[in-house]
Amino acid sequence: MADYTLRQLEYFVAVAEAGSITRAASAVHLSQSAMSTALTDLEGALGVQLLVRHHAKGITLSPAGRELLVASRQLLASAADLRSVAQGLGGSLAGSLSIGCFEVTAPYLLPELLATAAEKLPKLELQISEVDLADLAEGVADGTFELGIGYDLVDDPRLKRWPLRTLPPYVLVAGDHRLAKRRTVALADLADEPMALLDLPHSRDYFRRVFAEADVTPNVRYRSTTVETCRALVGRGLAYTVLNLQSAVPMALDGHQVAAVPIADDVPALTMVLLNAVAAKPTRRATVVAELCRDLFGSGAPTVP
């Protein structure tokens, strides 16, 4: 059997992600013919068809190609890890690390993670993607992300989970709301008031469980896919909302005051988790950054704002 090269694997991953040999060749500054030749040689070396070519419509992965894409990403990550170990001998960790973060939690977590990594790991480049929970799970499982940070709301046997922090839900009301100064609030006290629902896959199901546990049917008047829109509606006095992560500032983006009030009912909390793939052996870079995440966001760390 002929040998394959890491460069050929890099081209294969590039084509799989671009969905087109032409686009991938342009991205890596290679001619289309040279890219096609490298892929054909790779298929010959491995003895399987990786790509299904569609005339004028790009490519799709064969079943073998889908499996080997995960293995290729892992092998390339290990090769990069070897390079970073060599570069880091006598110095700090080097190279790059891909991290997926749930888009809702990203504004609360990523600035601190990136600032701390820049200080402690200056030669390590963190490549960040903000995605929904489904894409986060798939990206970690297929090797697109070496690490993931999100909520434990997706049951996927391909993922390993490390709990970081438990986040109880709370009610957010306008600063001048009748319940704003309460120490706690029962959800039944808000049953007749309009609610702004953070309407994302998995998240909406979680909030339904919260209200179901309190035996309350919320009056959902507004729906949004962003936390800040929900907070802005609350600040204007149009609705209340239920969230988990708290902002360090009791104010919506437009300057209106809001107030976070703990929920008195016995309702389910969310767990923030660190994710990696069951099939992947963590690189040294991933291990170091995972430990940094535990220090910053774990249960023994200062409260996440």
Side-chain angles (χ1 to χ4, degrees):
M1 178 183 292
D3 291 333
Y4 63 87
T5 67
L6 292 177
R7 185 68 67 193
Q8 289 170 337
L9 293 180
E10 289 175 352
Y11 293 161
F12 167 54
V13 171
V15 169
E17 292 176 349
S20 161
I21 292 176
T22 301
R23 287 195 295 270
S26 176
V28 300
H29 308 292
L30 192 70
S31 70
Q32 182 177 345
S33 60
M35 174 72 81
S36 296
T37 298
L39 294 171
T40 299
D41 290 345
L42 177 62
E43 289 177 320
L46 296 177
V48 293
Q49 181 182 1
L50 301 173
L51 307 172
V52 180
R53 283 84 167 167
H54 306 284
H55 180 64
K57 293 184 180 180
I59 61 93
T60 55
L61 295 180
S62 68
R66 287 193 294 271
E67 285 196 38
L68 286 173
L69 177 61
V70 178
S72 296
R73 284 174 172 151
Q74 292 171 1
L75 182 55
L76 290 171
S78 296
D81 200 37
L82 177 62
R83 186 182 305 115
S84 71
V85 169
Q87 293 171 344
L89 290 175
S92 61
L93 196 66
S96 64
L97 178 74
S98 60
I99 300 177
C101 187
F102 179 35
E103 57 196 349
V104 168
T105 65
Y108 299 88
L109 307 181
L110 293 184
E112 185 174 10
L113 175 59
L114 292 173
T116 304
E119 177 186 353
K120 296 186 175 182
L121 305 166
K123 295 183 180 180
L124 183 64
E125 178 187 359
L126 299 186
Q127 299 176 339
I128 302 295
S129 298
E130 300 176 37
V131 294
D132 63 28
L133 285 173
D135 286 343
L136 178 64
E138 189 62 32
V140 173
D142 71 14
T144 301
F145 311 130
E146 287 191 60
L147 289 176
I149 307 173
Y151 290 150
D152 192 15
L153 290 175
V154 179
D155 185 17
D156 191 322
R158 299 174 298 171
L159 303 179
K160 294 179 186 176
R161 301 167 177 81
W162 285 271
L164 292 174
R165 178 175 294 277
T166 299
L167 298 167
Y170 65 90
V171 167
L172 191 74
V173 295
D176 59 357
H177 191 278
R178 62 186 176 84
L179 301 175
K181 297 189 182 300
R182 288 272 194 95
R183 295 186 64 179
T184 61
V185 60
L187 290 177
D189 292 339
L190 293 159
D192 296 328
E193 296 195 22
M195 178 190 177
L197 174 67
L198 181 60
D199 194 15
L200 289 168
H202 303 290
S203 294
R204 70 174 72 98
D205 295 331
Y206 163 73
F207 290 121
R208 288 193 189 106
R209 293 203 312 273
V210 167
F211 281 92
E213 291 291 329
D215 197 25
V216 173
T217 301
N219 175 22
V220 178
R221 182 77 55 84
Y222 306 99
R223 298 173 184 268
S224 176
T225 57
T226 71
V227 169
E228 287 307 329
T229 298
C230 290
R231 288 174 57 84
L233 292 170
V234 170
R236 291 280 182 167
L238 296 173
Y240 73 93
T241 192
V242 175
L243 300 169
N244 295 81
L245 277 171
Q246 292 193 36
S247 170
V249 180
M251 187 180 297
L253 285 178
D254 59 3
H256 287 81
Q257 294 289 318
V258 295
V261 187
I263 295 174
D265 307 273
D266 183 15
V267 292
L270 279 179
T271 301
M272 185 190 299
V273 291
L274 192 65
L275 304 169
N276 79 339
V278 169
K281 179 181 179 181
T283 62
R284 179 171 173 244
R285 303 184 309 280
T287 300
V288 170
V289 174
E291 190 58 37
L292 183 61
C293 289
R294 294 187 188 99
D295 290 341
L296 293 175
F297 311 128
S299 58
T303 301
V304 175

